[in-house]
Amino acid sequence: MSTSLTARDGVGRQVDYWWTVYKRTWRGGIISSFVSPLFYVVGMGVLLGGFIEGDPARLEGATSYLAYIVPGLVAAHAMQLAVGETTYPVMGGIKWHKSYHAQMATPLAVRDIVNAHLLFVLSRIGSATAVFMLVLAPFGLFESWWGPFLAWLAQLLVGMAFATVVFGVSARMTSEEGFGVIFRLGVVPLTLFSGAFFPIDNLGPLLAWVARLTPLWHGVDLSRMLCLDTVDWPLAAVHLVVLAAITAWGWWWAIRGLEQRLGDS
Amino acid sequence: MSLDHRATTPALSPWGALSAITLRNYTTYRRYWKLFLTGFLEPVFYLFSIGIGVGQLIDTFEFNGQSIPYAEFVAPGMLAASAFNGALLDSTYNVFFKLKYDKLYDQMLATPLTTADVARGEILWGQLRGASYSAAFLLVMLAMGMISSWWALLALPATLLIGFAFSAVCMGLTTYMKSFQDFDKITLVQLPMFLFSATFFPVEAFGDGPVRWVVEATPLYRGVVLCRELTTGALTWSSAVSVAYLLVMGVLGLLLVRRRLDKLLLT
């Protein structure tokens, strides 16, 4: 029997829960959300970038290596946070602290549980990437005032594309062992080869096409063209459609996965 | 309380103790073979991405008077950094878990094993794992033509030295940790060491001031430069300094671990 709630009501009833989670965990998140990416900006962007000539022809229109990597780093960071927030925490809700089961004992439906969790992830990604972009704004890396705003929305979309799909994976997984493999064979190579650190053409024609098929590349490229004001609108539209389609499918898949999982147990 | 039972139980030789602990680690670790295999890929991914992808944006670097391509510059850095990362993770998260949640060391000390055996056994296990990664990585470097000297044969023991130094010290420091929240502090040390130890760019990037002295005094920098000197064959007296530095660090760490385990588990 289910007395179905509206989507708004379903999420609204969980606000105090996620607010409590946030209040208790935000300190741990500071280092992974803000300090680590800043180390990367200084190490790779500033120091290694000092040895790289700021040639727009070789850097997809960027006049310095720092300006080149920052939009990609932030997009990759959105992905990393999204994966981090939808692996162990989702398994925790199912298996360890069983908060999903507790939530299911109320009028909440699986859809509401997934929505609220994903909105929490969205707020984490949104705040982390916004602070990141704001801190970098004074360094003259952005070519227009509106580009970084749109780039931030693009980063949110990248985050949600990964958050929904990985939520679906986690909802179906029975052991946390697989998460290590997701990070090593998914997150790390995507971060390194999706055009965040160097133009994917440097990989050679074949691998460059492989990189173009990865969702992160769409996000990195979109984020970068908006920050550098080198927007190729038809291509931007393709990026947008790909990321939105993944997010929509992932959302459906996540809800379905959790429905099956909680129904079985 | 005196440890009277030790007088009545037959003593284990240090080698017997080491092999017992190693066998135990091997038995439990077999389940995690996927993590073991993929662990090797991480530095290789970094090498291809940074060394080759970013390397096309950089001409060459000067190192000890030689001019070397960027990928050849980064590869020994990744070799050393991977030994460092592996040792660090093994001797912090794993040790913390065994010490605090599994109570594994309490159980081990209920057998004829001593705290010194436990410390040596855990570090040896980390080294075996690290050595297999380093050897595989060196083969990748060789296959890609990134090794230009026979001295590179010594790069494998050099990575073991790096692993030993960090395992011992980090295991010692882990005994002071109270909760998982403390692990954020590890990231705070690990990431800057990884990024700023002349792994990705020459130490000249820091100028000539005190920042550079600080970098040159950090243990990972010594390890990175040592590996780079060995794979390029550009050895200097500072290579010997690096070796002595890491050796002393490891021995001090080992003494700390032993003292701390005595204090935590035998009182």
Side-chain angles (χ1 to χ4, degrees), chain A residues 28 31 35-36 39-40 42-44 47-48 51-52 58-59 65 177 180 184-185 188-189 192-193 197-198 202, chain B residues 31 35 38-39 41-42 45-46 49-50 53-54 56-58 61 70 184 188 191-192 195-196 200-202 205:
Chain A
I31 288 169
V35 181
S36 313
F39 278 136
Y40 267 93
V42 174
M44 306 301 285
L47 293 166
L48 179 62
F51 295 94
I52 296 175
R58 293 177 74 186
L59 293 176
Y65 185 65
E177 227 188 298
R184 279 180 173 160
L185 297 185
V188 170
L192 289 170
F193 297 105
F197 291 103
F198 58 88
N202 289 7
Chain B
R31 280 195 302 143
L35 277 181
T38 51
L41 288 172
E42 202 162 309
F45 284 147
Y46 269 89
S49 169
I50 309 295
V54 179
Q56 291 179 36
L57 304 169
I58 296 173
F61 278 145
Y70 185 60
D184 288 323
L188 268 187
L191 197 56
L195 287 169
F196 304 133
F200 296 108
F201 46 79

Side-chain angles (χ1 to χ4, degrees), chain B residues 117-168:
Chain B
D117 292 330
V118 171
R120 284 192 292 253
E122 289 293 280
I123 290 168
L124 175 73
W125 176 248
Q127 294 301 297
L128 287 175
R129 201 167 91 143
S132 56
Y133 287 166
S134 298
F137 191 85
L138 277 164
L139 288 177
V140 171
M141 283 178 69
L142 186 67
M144 295 179 66
M146 291 174 174
I147 289 179
S148 49
S149 161
W150 280 101
W151 285 109
L153 284 174
L154 289 180
L156 185 63
T159 59
L160 288 177
L161 186 58
I162 296 168
F164 165 62
F166 279 101
S167 294

Side-chain angles (χ1 to χ4, degrees), chain B:
Chain B
M1 189 194 87
S2 69
L3 298 162
D4 287 327
H5 67 279
R6 272 168 214 284
T8 55
T9 42
L12 269 174
S13 71
W15 282 113
L18 270 185
S19 53
I21 295 176
T22 306
L23 182 66
R24 187 260 166 209
N25 279 328
Y26 170 74
T27 312
T28 52
Y29 202 74
R30 261 195 319 196
R31 280 195 302 143
Y32 300 104
W33 62 271
K34 280 184 223 142
L35 277 181
F36 175 78
L37 274 186
T38 51
F40 155 69
L41 288 172
E42 202 162 309
V44 177
F45 284 147
Y46 269 89
L47 177 63
F48 277 84
S49 169
I50 309 295
I52 298 173
V54 179
Q56 291 179 36
L57 304 169
I58 296 173
D59 293 335
T60 53
F61 278 145
E62 287 288 317
F63 179 70
N64 285 359
Q66 291 183 14
S67 167
I68 54 177
Y70 185 60
E72 219 169 294
F73 178 87
V74 166
M78 297 310 336
L79 177 70
S82 136
F84 156 76
N85 278 326
L88 193 94
L89 295 181
D90 247 354
S91 58
T92 52
Y93 292 88
N94 289 352
V95 167
F96 182 75
F97 204 80
K98 288 176 177 175
L99 188 66
K100 185 139 174 141
Y101 295 104
D102 282 353
K103 307 274 181 215
L104 180 72
Y105 301 138
D106 290 284
Q107 298 167 26
M108 284 183 169
L109 293 174
T111 71
L113 294 172
T114 66
T115 47
D117 292 330
V118 171
R120 284 192 292 253
E122 289 293 280
I123 290 168
L124 175 73
W125 176 248
Q127 294 301 297
L128 287 175
R129 201 167 91 143
S132 56
Y133 287 166
S134 298
F137 191 85
L138 277 164
L139 288 177
V140 171
M141 283 178 69
L142 186 67
M144 295 179 66
M146 291 174 174
I147 289 179
S148 49
S149 161
W150 280 101
W151 285 109
L153 284 174
L154 289 180
L156 185 63
T159 59
L160 288 177
L161 186 58
I162 296 168
F164 165 62
F166 279 101
S167 294
V169 168
C170 294
M171 190 173 169
L173 295 178
T174 300
T175 60
Y176 289 99
M177 291 197 177
K178 299 220 155 34
S179 80
F180 273 106
Q181 262 64 41
D182 289 329
F183 283 106
D184 288 323
K185 292 170 197 152
I186 299 178
T187 314
L188 268 187
V189 178
Q190 180 188 17
L191 197 56
M193 274 217 198
F194 174 60
L195 287 169
F196 304 133
S197 293
T199 22
F200 296 108
F201 46 79
V203 71
E204 283 78 12
F206 298 103
D208 280 327
V211 181
R212 179 169 165 179
W213 304 339
V214 171
V215 171
E216 291 195 358
T218 60
L220 183 57
Y221 173 83
R222 306 302 334 165
V224 165
V225 172
L226 180 63
C227 285
R228 191 168 287 142
E229 284 164 343
L230 289 167
T231 58
T232 58
L235 265 76
T236 64
W237 277 110
S238 71
S239 319
V241 173
S242 301
V243 171
Y245 181 123
L246 293 168
L247 214 51
V248 170
M249 176 175 156
V251 170
L252 289 178
L254 213 50
L255 293 175
L256 175 70
V257 176
R258 216 183 134 173
R259 222 193 57 182
R260 288 288 301 165
L261 288 184
D262 278 345
K263 190 165 182 286
L264 285 174
L265 303 175
L266 294 181
T267 48

